[in-house]
Amino acid sequence: MPSPIPVSRLLPRDVYLSVDLGTCSSPLTKFSHGSSLQVPAQRLYDKVSSRHWSAVIHWEQLRAVEPVGSGGFGSVYKAEYFGETVALKKVKKCTKNKLASWQSFWAELNAAHLRHANIVRVIAATTGVPEVFGDESSIGTILMEFVGSRSLQQLIYGDAEQLAEDRWLRYSSDIAHGLSFLHAHRIVHLDIKPANVLVSSEDVCKIADFGCSLKLDGTCEVSATSPRMSHVCGTYTHRAPELLKGEAVSPKADIFAFGITLWQLLTREPPYSGDRQHVLYAVVAHNLRPSIQQHHVFRSERGRLCGTLLGRCWAGEARCRPSAQELLPHLEQLSALT
């Protein structure tokens, strides 16, 4: 079993500093009727809309659990919790690398204490699952706000509806605002791509799926040799060159992935074709990037400016890329063009 994770790693500072948490040998310990983590009693029955996430799930309050989707990470369900619609995510156990599975589960909670309009909000999470809700392949459960079943991936590739300029600009601004907030709290997502951006019924984009994320130290970088890097996965088409080369991780890795995602919004095409290993090699050795010249969308004044911004986002050197905060005025400038 992995070493115990300190409670300060899991709960917001304004919660854990004032609380007597009692004995807790490891937050990874399983119990049959709830979480081994403990939180203040007055917080156990906070409403779903509470500012803080809870380390206890009140299973008796779950109703109408319906499957929404599944993948390598596990399964997602739509449910009711204290009368409100939520998303229930059961995180899957990887039999080949159990430590990586646990690290990925806890990485999902890196942003759990944060609240932002463009980030999917975590409501509660636990490693203890009653038999009626659990199964042997699940290592934990996370309750989140229910954004909907549409992802940016589905809108780009699966829907016939138009993605007009004002719409993709709004979507890209939503993602940039979410990243700016995460990076201000020293959290790097490390798997930004259309499939991990959900679109709400109000047509607002929210960043989801933090299983590859990292909480950075004060240096705003994590060495590639750090034990915390063992669970980092991500999607090869959106991985920054420095990650492919095993160099230090910084928020600029998310900016590279944002650039690829923005290109997909504009063109509605896959960023690369061909063999995976060839793409990985070419991105590092030959500066391979998605094509701009072949698409008419980049021929207008707005398109040319957007192409220039993309070139900065997916620069080979991380230090040459803009920060998420620096992206925002550029996107505003693009929106102002008529």
Side-chain angles (χ1 to χ4, degrees):
M1 178 177 291
S3 299
I5 299 175
V7 172
S8 60
R9 175 79 166 72
L10 305 174
L11 297 176
R13 179 176 294 274
D14 56 347
V15 174
Y16 73 77
L17 281 183
S18 59
V19 176
D20 179 11
L21 292 166
T23 59
C24 182
S25 63
S26 170
L28 304 186
T29 303
K30 282 195 173 184
F31 284 81
S32 58
H33 298 291
S35 172
S36 58
L37 297 177
Q38 299 179 42
V39 294
Q42 65 269 25
R43 296 198 184 275
L44 293 183
Y45 296 97
D46 279 354
K47 293 183 179 179
V48 173
S49 58
S50 169
R51 176 174 171 268
H52 297 302
W53 71 281
S54 172
V56 171
I57 293 177
H58 298 280
W59 301 102
E60 72 280 2
Q61 295 294 332
L62 274 173
R63 302 284 189 277
V65 180
E66 306 171 12
V68 172
S70 62
F73 59 84
S75 302
V76 176
Y77 303 83
K78 180 180 179 181
E80 287 187 7
Y81 189 59
F82 285 98
E84 295 189 29
T85 303
V86 299
L88 184 153
K89 183 174 183 177
K90 290 168 62 176
V91 180
K92 189 177 181 180
K93 181 193 304 179
C94 177
T95 55
K96 293 182 180 180
N97 193 336
K98 294 181 180 180
L99 175 57
S101 295
W102 281 114
Q103 288 177 319
S104 180
F105 173 74
W106 292 110
E108 289 273 11
L109 304 180
N110 276 329
H113 64 290
L114 301 178
R115 297 291 179 265
H116 191 273
N118 302 118
I119 297 172
V120 174
R121 177 170 54 91
V122 173
I123 297 166
T126 179
T127 58
V129 184
E131 292 182 6
V132 66
F133 288 103
D135 58 65
E136 293 183 357
S137 64
S138 175
I139 63 172
T141 302
I142 302 173
L143 290 184
M144 302 168 288
E145 67 170 310
F146 184 77
V147 177
S149 56
R150 291 191 310 168
S151 70
L152 209 53
Q153 174 90 0
Q154 292 167 313
L155 282 178
I156 292 173
Y157 298 113
D159 288 357
E161 61 183 294
Q162 294 292 317
L163 284 177
E165 287 186 334
D166 64 325
R167 199 173 180 193
W168 63 253
L169 278 166
R170 186 158 39 81
Y171 287 169
S172 58
S173 180
D174 285 348
I175 300 169
H177 274 101
L179 286 177
S180 178
F181 184 76
L182 288 173
H183 294 170
H185 289 82
R186 300 196 303 277
I187 295 171
V188 187
H189 187 277
L190 291 179
D191 199 18
I192 293 294
K193 60 180 180 180
N196 286 343
V197 177
L198 301 182
V199 184
S200 73
S201 57
E202 291 80 25
D203 214 32
V204 174
C205 285
K206 293 176 178 275
I207 298 172
D209 292 306
F210 283 79
C212 293
S213 67
L214 283 175
K215 180 68 179 290
L216 302 180
D217 298 323
T219 60
C220 290
E221 284 191 352
V222 171
S223 168
T225 59
S226 169
R228 287 190 287 159
M229 286 293 294
S230 63
H231 78 287
V232 173
C233 39
T235 305
Y236 80 93
T237 52
H238 294 68
R239 288 195 66 124
E242 64 270 19
L243 301 186
L244 298 175
K245 291 187 288 185
E247 297 174 355
V249 178
S250 76
K252 297 298 183 71
D254 284 344
I255 303 303
F256 184 94
F258 169 86
I260 304 295
T261 300
L262 177 55
W263 183 92
Q264 291 174 276
L265 268 171
L266 284 159
T267 66
R268 305 186 80 163
E269 293 185 7
Y272 305 112
S273 61
D275 177 72
R276 177 179 183 272
Q277 290 302 320
H278 169 77
V279 170
L280 293 175
Y281 175 78
V283 165
V284 174
H286 301 297
N287 208 37
L288 175 68
R289 302 292 186 269
S291 173
I292 289 178
Q293 290 76 16
Q294 296 179 5
H295 294 277
H296 71 277
V297 70
F298 295 106
R299 294 171 188 166
S300 65
E301 180 184 0
R302 177 178 280 156
R304 286 192 294 270
L305 288 173
C306 195
T308 300
L309 181 60
L310 287 176
R312 293 186 60 199
C313 287
W314 58 44
E317 295 290 333
R319 58 182 175 81
C320 297
R321 299 173 206 147
S323 67
Q325 186 63 35
E326 291 168 340
L327 281 175
L328 296 173
H330 289 286
L331 294 172
E332 290 174 4
Q333 180 185 6
L334 289 171
S335 298
L337 292 175
T338 57

